[in-house]
Amino acid sequence: MPAEIDFCNAAELLPVLMSAVRAREDRLEILVLDLSTTSFMDSQGIRLINDVRRQLRPGAAVRLVARPEGTTSRVLEVTGLRRDVPVYDNLAEALAS
């Protein structure tokens, strides 16, 4: 995921993500969004994640990776999304889940 996710690029990211999902949809069980290099995310980033979740086939799940001390992790916590979507400290943990 990019360094910043906000009103300038969130709308452009959804079709890119969903294109990747559709290419693997028949066998996609878990989608991991790696936000570990994302240093800024506003409400449009949260909306993007929720839009992706809604468009996944039933049974498929989203996992997030975010640095625990980063701004992105704090945004996930403050907005409550962290309660609904598992967030891992690194990609290895998310993939092993």
Side-chain angles (χ1 to χ4, degrees):
M1 299 296 284
E4 296 185 2
I5 303 173
D6 58 18
F7 70 95
C8 292
N9 66 353
E12 297 167 2
L13 289 171
L14 183 60
V16 172
L17 289 170
M18 295 315 300
S19 175
V21 165
R22 279 190 292 280
R24 295 163 184 83
E25 192 164 28
D26 61 329
R27 59 184 191 245
L28 181 72
E29 294 179 24
I30 297 174
L31 175 65
V32 177
L33 299 178
D34 187 351
L35 302 167
S36 60
T37 60
T38 303
S39 57
F40 177 80
M41 184 170 74
D42 66 8
S43 61
Q44 292 304 307
I46 299 301
R47 181 178 181 184
L48 171 67
I49 294 167
N50 279 324
D51 287 348
V52 168
R53 289 174 60 209
R54 279 192 289 277
Q55 292 185 38
L56 290 179
R57 69 172 177 77
V62 172
R63 304 283 187 262
L64 303 175
V65 176
R67 292 177 310 173
E69 72 285 348
T71 302
T72 301
S73 186
R74 181 73 178 131
V75 169
L76 295 170
E77 186 174 329
V78 167
T79 60
L81 188 61
R82 193 176 186 103
R83 288 185 307 252
D84 299 329
V85 179
V87 180
Y88 298 88
D89 294 344
N90 59 62
L91 187 56
E93 288 179 7
L95 292 172
S97 69

